[in-house]
Amino acid sequence: MPLKKVLTRAGASLLGALLIVVVVVFVALGTSNSADLSYRSLNYDATILANGDMRIVQTIDVRLNERDSGPWRQLYQDYTLKTSNLTSISDVSVTNLSTGKSFSQLDSPRTPSQVSSSQWESSYANHWYLADVTNGTDSLESYDSSTSVTSDRTVEVGWNIPATESANSMRFRVSMTFHGVATAYSDVAALQWEPFGTSNQVPIGTVTGVVRFPDGVTKSNSWAWLHVTGTSTTSRDSDGTLRFTASDVRSGQYLDVVAMFDVNAASGVARHSDAAAKSRIMTEETRQEEEWRAQQRANAVRTVAIWTAIIVFGLAFLILGIRGSVRSNRLARYRGGLDYWRDPPDMSPASAAALLDIAEGGVPSSTLQTRQMSSTVLSLVSKGAIAVYPGPAAIYRGMDLTAASAADVAAALRSNGEARSSMASTSTVVILPVCSADRSSLQLSSSEDAALALLETAARRLKNPAFGLDSLSKAFSGWQGGAKIQSRFVDAAANEFAMLGVTCHDGAMATACGFLALFDAALALAFGAHQGSLALILSVGFPLLVGALLILATKRTEVLTDDDGQKLAGQVVGLKRYLTDFSDFSDRGVADITLWNRYLVYAAAFGISEVAIRQLAKACPQLSDPQWLDANAVGSLIYWSYRPWIIVPSMAGASAGTFVPPQGTAFRGGLGDIGAQLDGSFSQLRSTIAAASAPSNTSGGSFSGGGFGGSFGGSGGGSFGGR
């Protein structure tokens, strides 16, 4: 296959793989941007107070997407009050960091649906509220933070904003105090804080947090663990301060901080227990962490094994597939030493087009069929079965083209002013009487006979043996039988080519390995999407996909046989080279109109009509002499490929003997255009590795090694939202 075609198909494979990967990433790894409401980032600065309360300051960056239900007016966070871990919420403050405006408290909260738009903007926007939503949000009940909790309650911390259709970023600082978070045991004060829990449906891009202990607490007398199932990091400062991050938090994921410190640093804690808790908590957290780390290590080992298998098998398939593709292309290429062939090949034009298609690397099947049909129709002209005259059938009105001589046609063109503008747009096909009177004398091949049958059918349906190429589609429009007539030509050309015995099947290994590599790439993309690993999708799945598509795009399934295949391919390839370089030869011999006609037929089969006609015109000065054409080439393809250029200038007052083909353009009214017209007419008719290798050590409360998926349900159980 020529390098240009290989590069073209490589580019198409790369583009196709890129589009597939983009779809996979978009569908499977879509970020929070698709959610109506999301937190771009969420930062916590929390301080555990000596009395067991917790002061929490949040910095929130919110993204609001446009929604069908109307503009955004209210944002909120819901928390669960329990006698066991969170007794009340107070000291709330809200500041819009994007505008610098501090919100004031609203004593009688309302949902946006309960307030008119004008009243909302004047009386409710830019205020915060505390509401009891235990019984739902149909009616926000005011919450009194001084009231003791006797049963589980849901409290909403909300803030009202001016009506906002969408916002890429709105930043707020929301502060509050959680009361009764810690419990004082005989040895330690302990707490489990859950800033957001499993009920939260708002995705968060990045969560960062700092948790400070009371005065007197250091790394040596405090212990902590982070419970989170996603990607996270943990660390501690020298004074014991905890720092954590969590990335790409999805809906339903939770984050809990478990912490304990020497009870001597606590004072005034509301909830007490005489039991010791340090050993119990250490044991329980160690168990959870060991189980999680062991599970993650097992998952990592399994993941590494799967990825290793995907990569190893994928590389094996690619190597074998590429070798098979290279081999099939080598066998399909003409490998003989014949440079030029000066005679028409020993096969029909349709077979020559098919053989060149194999020897030179392939063209789209639709292009091949068009070349086969076009060259076969021209072959019918060269054999005298039909005539093709320049221009539409209308300019020959009143003439019997089945009996008219070429001189009569030329005279009609000279006398018809319409000819000059319409001659280049189409051609007129004439079914000559010999087709019905003495068809056997034409010595047609099966493909030529099938093409002639198609044209004869068109003539019968148009009720005229002379018709324009622009009427072909009209002749078969709305007629189901037309497909059968066309398929007869396709089948005849295929059978005719098969009878030559010049090809055999190959490329089975390339095909099998290409599809196996494609399946392997699909596994890589699916597994990477399941894991949410964009890096593995791009570094493993994408290259495998490109390689698989390239193998399937460049492999050859039909190759030349070593005997007849190479011999006849040499004739076809050699003739194409000869026609392309025709004007360079000084030993062409005496002009042979019949031979030149056949040259033009095979030039159409090879897709080089314009190149061939220019080479002939350049090499043979007599083609610019109308008298020579009239005397020697009347009725041939050569005549009508060049004579219109003599006719048209004479109509405009130019010298009749002047032949000046335009540079860089097709020959208007010549074979280049007939070939294009035929083509157009017949075209219308048809991180894992590290986890796998690391031992499953536990942190021992040092808040190191990242989070793990332990217990949840701590103080708060936050759930975020907006209205």
Side-chain angles (χ1 to χ4, degrees):
M1 183 176 293
L3 179 61
K4 182 178 179 180
K5 290 185 178 180
V6 172
L7 293 177
T8 299
R9 296 187 182 191
S13 300
L14 182 65
L15 180 59
L18 183 61
L19 291 175
I20 292 173
V21 168
V22 168
V23 171
V24 170
V25 171
F26 179 79
V27 173
L29 302 181
T31 65
S32 59
N33 290 349
S34 60
D36 287 344
L37 167 63
S38 61
Y39 284 7
R40 294 163 56 93
S41 63
L42 174 59
N43 173 262
Y44 289 98
D45 191 329
T47 302
I48 303 172
L49 305 179
N51 65 357
D53 296 344
M54 178 179 281
R55 181 63 180 169
I56 303 167
V57 179
Q58 303 177 50
T59 302
I60 309 167
D61 190 345
V62 181
R63 176 188 284 114
L64 302 174
N65 289 334
E66 189 173 351
R67 56 181 184 170
D68 296 336
S69 57
W72 299 92
R73 291 187 171 90
Q74 197 169 66
L75 304 175
Y76 61 84
Q77 296 180 340
D78 290 347
Y79 298 102
T80 301
L81 302 185
K82 298 181 179 181
T83 57
S84 60
N85 63 18
L86 177 58
T87 56
S88 67
I89 299 174
S90 67
D91 306 321
V92 175
S93 67
V94 178
T95 301
N96 187 334
L97 297 178
S98 298
T99 63
K101 186 175 183 60
S102 296
F103 290 10
S104 57
Q105 184 176 8
L106 188 69
D107 293 329
S108 300
R110 295 286 185 274
T111 61
S113 61
Q114 298 172 323
V115 181
S116 67
S117 298
S118 59
Q119 187 180 10
W120 182 269
E121 299 299 321
S122 62
S123 303
Y124 287 85
N126 301 316
H127 291 76
W128 64 267
Y129 63 88
L130 273 173
D132 189 327
V133 293
T134 305
N135 298 321
T137 59
D138 291 340
S139 178
L140 300 178
E141 301 177 10
S142 296
Y143 165 72
D144 183 358
S145 60
S146 63
T147 303
S148 298
V149 61
T150 57
S151 61
D152 291 357
R153 311 292 294 175
T154 302
V155 173
E156 184 168 290
V157 179
W159 58 101
N160 302 327
I161 61 174
T164 304
E165 293 290 343
S166 64
N168 187 54
S169 174
M170 294 182 72
R171 299 179 67 246
F172 300 93
R173 180 187 296 119
V174 180
S175 306
M176 64 193 75
T177 299
F178 279 10
H179 295 279
V181 174
T183 301
Y185 297 93
S186 63
D187 52 354
V188 294
L191 61 91
Q192 182 166 342
W193 167 48
E194 186 171 85
F196 51 86
T198 56
S199 61
N200 175 48
Q201 297 301 303
V202 174
I204 309 169
T206 304
V207 179
T208 57
V210 176
V211 180
R212 311 176 198 279
F213 288 99
D215 293 340
V217 176
T218 64
K219 289 177 65 174
S220 61
N221 63 354
S222 63
W223 303 265
W225 300 264
L226 179 69
H227 293 181
V228 64
T229 57
T231 304
S232 63
T233 62
T234 54
S235 63
R236 298 192 76 174
D237 294 347
S238 58
D239 62 354
T241 298
L242 311 176
R243 297 183 182 276
F244 64 84
T245 64
S247 303
D248 192 21
V249 176
R250 308 295 180 89
S251 300
Q253 289 185 324
Y254 64 89
L255 185 146
D256 282 62
V257 175
V258 176
M260 62 182 181
F261 56 92
D262 191 336
V263 73
N264 294 319
S267 62
V269 178
R271 189 168 46 255
H272 289 267
S273 174
D274 294 334
K278 177 181 176 182
S279 178
R280 173 179 60 80
I281 293 174
M282 288 280 286
T283 300
E284 177 61 21
E285 289 298 318
T286 298
R287 181 191 66 78
Q288 293 184 50
E289 187 171 4
E290 285 178 343
E291 290 179 354
W292 176 261
R293 302 292 185 211
Q295 180 185 11
Q296 291 302 101
R297 185 173 187 276
N299 290 340
V301 170
R302 183 167 56 251
T303 298
V304 169
I306 292 173
W307 278 113
T308 300
I310 288 174
I311 293 171
V312 170
F313 280 106
L315 288 176
F317 295 146
L318 290 182
I319 291 171
L320 292 175
I322 290 172
R323 288 181 60 185
S325 178
V326 170
R327 178 181 182 277
S328 66
N329 275 276
R330 179 178 60 82
L331 294 178
R333 188 173 61 249
Y334 172 63
R335 304 185 301 278
L338 184 64
D339 290 327
Y340 296 101
W341 184 261
R342 290 169 170 77
D343 298 316
D346 300 329
M347 67 194 76
S348 68
S351 293
L355 184 54
L356 183 71
D357 176 59
I358 291 174
E360 290 200 339
V363 295
S365 59
S366 59
T367 301
L368 173 60
Q369 290 182 14
T370 299
R371 288 181 181 178
Q372 288 178 311
M373 177 60 82
S374 299
S375 59
T376 302
V377 170
L378 292 179
S379 184
L380 293 174
V381 176
S382 72
K383 289 187 174 184
I386 65 173
V388 176
Y389 297 129
I395 66 177
Y396 303 104
R397 192 177 295 113
M399 290 185 63
D400 181 6
L401 290 179
T402 62
S405 66
D408 295 335
V409 173
L413 291 174
R414 290 191 186 95
S415 62
N416 194 326
E418 183 183 352
R420 180 170 14 182
S421 60
S422 61
M423 231 169 43
S425 62
T426 187
S427 294
T428 296
V429 176
V430 184
I431 308 296
L432 297 178
V434 67
C435 295
S436 56
D438 191 10
R439 197 183 193 91
S440 61
S441 66
L442 298 173
Q443 297 183 344
L444 303 180
S445 67
S446 58
S447 59
E448 290 169 339
D449 188 72
L452 179 57
L454 186 147
L455 296 175
E456 289 173 324
T457 302
R460 285 194 298 271
R461 292 186 60 81
L462 294 170
K463 297 179 174 57
N464 195 330
F467 56 89
L469 282 173
D470 52 358
S471 301
L472 259 180
S473 294
K474 177 182 176 182
F476 292 95
S477 177
W479 182 45
Q480 295 181 351
K484 184 179 296 186
I485 298 297
Q486 186 179 17
S487 65
R488 177 184 168 187
F489 169 78
V490 175
D491 294 341
N495 293 334
E496 197 174 68
F497 182 70
M499 292 298 293
L500 290 175
V502 295
T503 64
C504 60
H505 290 289
D506 198 273
M509 182 175 71
T511 301
C513 289
F515 279 110
L516 288 172
L518 190 63
F519 178 73
D520 195 68
L523 286 179
L525 294 177
F527 195 51
H530 175 70
Q531 290 187 309
S533 176
L534 179 61
L536 288 173
I537 287 176
L538 295 178
S539 63
V540 179
F542 179 65
L544 287 175
L545 186 59
V546 172
L549 293 177
L550 182 59
I551 290 171
L552 295 174
T554 57
K555 67 174 178 61
R556 307 294 297 278
T557 56
E558 268 193 302
V559 300
L560 299 174
T561 58
D562 291 334
D563 40 26
D564 289 343
Q566 286 293 320
K567 173 186 173 183
L568 292 179
Q571 295 181 15
V572 169
V573 173
L575 179 59
K576 180 182 177 182
R577 292 173 182 164
Y578 182 62
L579 294 178
T580 302
D581 302 334
F582 186 79
S583 63
D584 295 336
F585 289 91
S586 58
D587 58 344
R588 292 182 302 275
V590 179
D592 185 337
I593 299 301
T594 301
L595 180 61
W596 285 6
N597 282 337
R598 299 306 290 173
Y599 280 171
L600 296 183
V601 168
Y602 285 98
F606 302 156
I608 58 169
S609 293
E610 185 174 342
V611 174
I613 200 170
R614 287 189 178 281
Q615 288 290 313
L616 286 172
K618 182 178 178 181
C620 305
Q622 58 266 48
L623 292 176
S624 63
D625 182 355
Q627 294 181 348
W628 185 90
L629 286 171
D630 289 340
N632 297 279
V634 171
S636 68
L637 281 175
I638 291 293
Y639 187 80
W640 291 115
S641 296
Y642 295 94
R643 192 64 168 94
W645 269 105
I646 302 164
I647 295 170
V648 174
S650 68
M651 292 163 54
S655 171
T658 303
F659 177 76
V660 186
Q663 297 299 313
T665 63
F667 281 72
R668 277 192 309 237
L671 179 64
D673 277 329
I674 295 176
Q677 293 159 12
L678 289 170
D679 286 352
S681 299
F682 289 112
S683 289
Q684 287 179 349
L685 283 177
R686 22 142 233 83
S687 74
T688 308
I689 296 175
S693 60
S696 54
N697 295 332
T698 57
S699 62
S702 63
F703 208 69
S704 61
F708 55 93
S711 60
F712 56 89
S715 304
S719 176
F720 312 146
R723 304 182 184 94

